[in-house]
Amino acid sequence: MLWGSIMAAFFQRPRFGNRYLTDPGNVFQHNAWDNVEWSEEQEAAARKKVEENCTQLVSPDKQVEYETKANSYWNDFYKIHENRFFKDRHWLFTEFPELLDKSFLLDKSGPTAAASDHSGTDPGSCLEWTVENALQLPQNGAEETEQNNLKVEADGMQYSQRTGSLVDLSSGSMPQMHTKLGDTESPDTNYIGSSAIFSILEVGCGVGNTVFPILQTNKDPGLFVYCCDFSSTAVELIKLNSCYDHSRCLAFVHDLCDTQATYPMPNESLDIIILIFVLSAIHPDKIQAVVKRLSQLLKPGGMILFRDYGRYDMAQLRFKKGRCLSENFYVRGDGTRVYFFTPAELDELFTSADLKKVQNIVDRRLQVNRGKQLTMYRVWIQCKYRKPLEKGE
């Protein structure tokens, strides 16, 4: 009965983009309004605010520190918040139905964008999902960042589905695989998840707020989900969750920016790669190489599902002078960083990696705190880019 009610909640959830504010006098009647149009004056004011908060840059020495110690800052974040900061993303299957059925990969239609959800799952119960309160945005924490992170450490000993043998991953000695940049040999079939029919990788998985809803909703026995994060603390929290199933999932620590690092799967083995609030945490100069490396892991016809911060989002406008690292790139009070994208930038990033656009939309949302009579303008970008079935397609 419980499972049936959960599934009903997922599939009855209305798609975002259906609530429009036509009368400003009614702004406090709901908690959020969709596809809010910005006036020229509002956009000019946002642009001026960004120009002002970038006049004083973080010192070069501190910038180097934030880059070299990024792993430590994210570990500290998860040690403090554990699994309490981000909420499970209930909008996942409405906005990304590709996560439910492999047949969606050939559907070129794109749904509208979704809201940003944050928090954690209870390690004792993977079904205790809470309602988001996205209005509580700690200025000195990771804001309401949906997730930023990157480094991966696999379980000490993992059971190989295909070979029936234990594989030592904790020492860094993974099974021999053809996953390095530029390797064109035939892929090795002796790797964890090799027998899967449908393979997903979530990058920047945090404590599992995307992974666990996928595992609970998509019961396809041929599904295997890989998930990685920069923070070893976050990955350990995933492994402690009662929903973590070694036969269907592998969590590991991975540094996305190390494009020569080995993945636990070969090139052209993944159907979907999920990038939700993760690329924004990477230095802008490194993002293109990251996207190119990830695109090599996709099968022909495979797809990247992306959602992240857009230019002039409220989180960007809230930064004070002295927090700007470079143009549209900032450091939070806890040492974690965030970049704010434009659709054109993202299109260039993905198409330069030989991916084909399926969707690239801006979600402008007006969130309302009716109790405090506050309005907050959010800007997110949602994209889908597919690897062509044949080169040049």
Side-chain angles (χ1 to χ4, degrees), residues 15-197:
R15 183 168 292 174
F16 289 93
N18 297 318
R19 179 178 291 158
Y20 302 101
L21 179 62
T22 56
D23 182 356
N26 296 329
V27 65
F28 294 108
Q29 286 189 2
H30 298 286
N31 290 329
W33 300 92
D34 302 308
N35 299 324
V36 177
E37 294 290 336
W38 284 33
S39 66
E40 292 184 6
E41 292 78 9
Q42 184 177 3
E43 185 150 354
R47 188 181 305 111
K48 182 179 179 181
K49 176 65 175 177
V50 168
E51 291 172 353
E52 290 175 351
N53 66 28
C54 288
T55 55
Q56 181 181 339
L57 298 180
V58 174
S59 69
D61 289 346
K62 290 297 291 184
Q63 293 210 33
V64 171
E65 177 183 327
Y66 291 131
E67 176 70 20
T68 58
K69 295 185 178 179
N71 172 263
S72 298
Y73 288 119
W74 279 108
N75 275 331
D76 290 344
F77 173 83
Y78 285 110
K79 286 175 182 176
I80 293 171
H81 298 286
E82 293 184 337
N83 61 356
R84 299 182 298 270
F85 194 80
F86 303 107
K87 285 183 172 60
D88 287 329
R89 292 157 177 159
H90 302 293
W91 49 266
L92 266 178
F93 309 106
T94 303
E95 305 306 319
F96 297 134
E98 296 86 353
L99 298 172
L100 291 172
D101 190 331
K102 187 175 180 178
S103 64
F104 278 101
L105 289 174
L106 298 179
D107 178 7
K108 299 195 182 284
S109 62
T112 57
S116 171
D117 292 335
H118 326 283
S119 105
T121 39
D122 182 352
S125 172
C126 53
L127 299 180
E128 289 190 15
W129 294 330
T130 56
V131 178
E132 175 193 8
N133 181 0
L135 305 182
Q136 297 177 356
L137 307 176
Q139 177 67 30
N140 295 322
E143 312 261 19
E144 39 43 284
T145 88
E146 262 285 10
Q147 214 356 31
N148 326 315
N149 351 334
L150 325 125
K151 193 167 177 162
V152 193
E153 189 172 307
D155 287 345
M157 296 295 288
Q158 287 288 343
Y159 187 80
S160 171
Q161 296 175 314
R162 195 168 185 89
T163 64
S165 60
L166 285 172
V167 181
D168 184 3
L169 300 179
S170 60
S171 64
S173 56
M174 290 188 176
Q176 193 65 31
M177 294 171 288
H178 306 296
T179 60
K180 291 188 177 180
L181 194 63
D183 195 339
T184 57
E185 298 179 42
S186 299
D188 196 327
T189 57
N190 182 19
Y191 64 93
I192 297 172
S194 61
S195 61
I197 298 173

